[in-house]
Amino acid sequence: MTSRRHALIALACACAAGAVSPAWADTWPSRPLRMVVPFPAGSSPDLIARILTEKLAATLGQPVVVENRPGAGGNIGTGMVAKAAPDGYTLLFTINGPLVTAPSLSRNLSYDPFRQLAPVTLVATSPNVLVVDARLPVHDVREFVALAKSRAGALNYGSVGNGSAAHLAMEQLKAMAGIDLQHVPYPGFPQVTTAMVGGQIQAGFMVPAIAMPLVNAGKLRILAVTTTGRTAVLPSVPTVAESGYPGFEAISWQAVLAPAGTPPAIIDRLYRELVAIIGSADVREKMRAQYFVPAGTAPASLRQTMASEKVRWDKVIRAAGVQPE
């Protein structure tokens, strides 16, 4: 009888929780929110997150505080949100790496992005750009590949670490073009660009916001973008795909997520508010200034993007023999 009574009490509590959850969601938010960015202040995710949170605070009627928790390629801050209370007061603003490649590249990842995080919306996408030292005698992808083949193993490329987007993008090109380049990892893009300008490395993939000031200064040369079709943020630059490697794609994207179990009504409210913000003219202009194309997709669409990207990059990781750290 005691066990039965306990079971009935548990069932009643569960039903009561379900009954009050929508009402509780109606009163949300009643206090400030935090938007965790698992990258340093001043980074691209941080800049876009701050553009959104200023507007989101106004629409929700509560402060939305950006909290930078960098480390381990974004995995530390992402794991913190995955373990946070699913009450709608902790959100995550991150890039694709901690969501789609981290599970294959980290031996002891402290979270499962597909089980412990609830997608809210894809905020924006951006091409990566293939750039070379401006002194290198190449002006397009075909010339770069020809040079790499003529100097097999002699050219170096930089990235921001083993398994980073820049690393995997070049490994994808190496496999498709049949070239041999030496990988040199660095702590961050400032070190990558310094090394390229200094002649220690000859090429690399990076985000346009980092590369374009040096391209415009004549220190780096842009060869291609990594979207499947030409991008609105760099319309005159050819794609890797059209340069002889159909199917090549390596985009960066940014998204908002919440801890799994966050009430659906709150997820829906956040999604609707964020899509309206992303669609506003001033926000779109600010994003494009950072070479991002505004998106704003439904939660289910973001989950599909995560799943398809994981499948695609898992193939690149296995083919390149990139080992988990």
Side-chain angles (χ1 to χ4, degrees):
M1 292 295 293
T2 300
S3 298
R4 184 181 178 187
R5 183 164 57 251
H6 287 168
L8 290 172
I9 291 171
L11 178 61
C13 289
C15 292
V20 301
S21 179
W24 176 71
D26 287 341
T27 67
W28 174 92
S30 59
R31 55 186 170 86
L33 290 74
R34 62 173 177 165
M35 180 84 78
V36 175
V37 178
F39 298 96
S43 63
S44 179
D46 175 73
L47 294 175
I48 302 297
R50 291 179 188 276
I51 292 171
L52 294 185
T53 52
E54 180 182 358
K55 297 269 191 177
L56 187 60
T59 62
L60 295 179
Q62 290 288 345
V64 183
V65 180
V66 172
E67 185 175 318
N68 298 98
R69 290 297 184 101
N75 295 350
I76 291 176
T78 302
M80 185 179 74
V81 175
K83 299 178 183 68
D87 55 10
Y89 290 96
T90 299
L91 305 174
L92 173 69
F93 188 96
T94 191
I95 61 175
N96 31 331
L99 302 177
V100 299
T101 57
S104 301
L105 294 169
S106 302
R107 294 185 189 277
N108 299 304
L109 195 65
S110 66
Y111 63 93
D112 183 331
F114 290 88
R115 289 194 308 107
Q116 292 179 274
L117 292 169
V120 177
T121 189
L122 180 69
V123 173
T125 64
S126 172
N128 288 294
V129 292
L130 174 59
V131 292
V132 297
D133 180 346
R135 293 163 294 195
L136 208 66
V138 299
H139 296 81
D140 57 36
V141 174
R142 290 181 176 86
E143 290 182 355
F144 174 68
V145 169
L147 181 66
K149 287 183 176 180
S150 71
R151 298 171 60 184
L155 298 182
N156 299 325
Y157 78 93
S159 84
V160 292
N162 187 56
S164 65
H167 178 206
L168 297 180
M170 189 64 85
E171 290 300 322
Q172 183 181 192
L173 180 59
K174 283 172 58 180
M176 295 179 77
I179 55 177
D180 181 17
L181 307 172
Q182 300 303 311
H183 177 218
V184 184
Y186 292 90
F189 277 123
Q191 292 85 355
V192 174
T193 55
T194 297
M196 199 177 300
V197 171
Q200 287 80 45
I201 60 175
Q202 288 71 50
F205 284 96
M206 59 186 71
V207 293
I210 297 292
M212 292 312 295
L214 291 167
V215 170
N216 294 334
K219 295 181 178 181
L220 300 182
R221 181 177 298 124
I222 185 169
L223 303 184
V225 295
T226 58
T227 43
T228 53
R230 295 209 181 192
T231 174
V233 295
L234 289 167
S236 65
V237 181
T239 67
V240 175
E242 74 181 80
S243 301
Y245 303 97
F248 184 97
E249 183 182 23
I251 64 170
S252 295
W253 44 267
Q254 301 184 343
V256 174
L257 302 95
T262 299
I266 292 178
I267 296 289
D268 183 64
R269 170 89 184 275
L270 284 167
Y271 158 67
R272 288 185 287 105
E273 299 288 6
L274 285 167
V275 167
I277 291 168
I278 293 166
S280 62
D282 59 331
V283 169
R284 295 175 75 86
E285 183 178 349
K286 289 175 181 177
M287 285 187 181
R288 288 188 176 120
Q290 297 292 323
Y291 298 95
F292 276 91
V293 178
T297 63
S301 179
L302 173 55
R303 182 171 292 281
Q304 290 173 354
T305 297
M306 289 170 57
S308 62
E309 285 271 286
K310 185 177 188 308
V311 170
R312 193 164 63 81
W313 287 114
D314 276 355
K315 291 179 181 178
V316 174
I317 290 167
R318 288 195 299 271
V322 180
Q323 296 298 313
E325 293 184 339

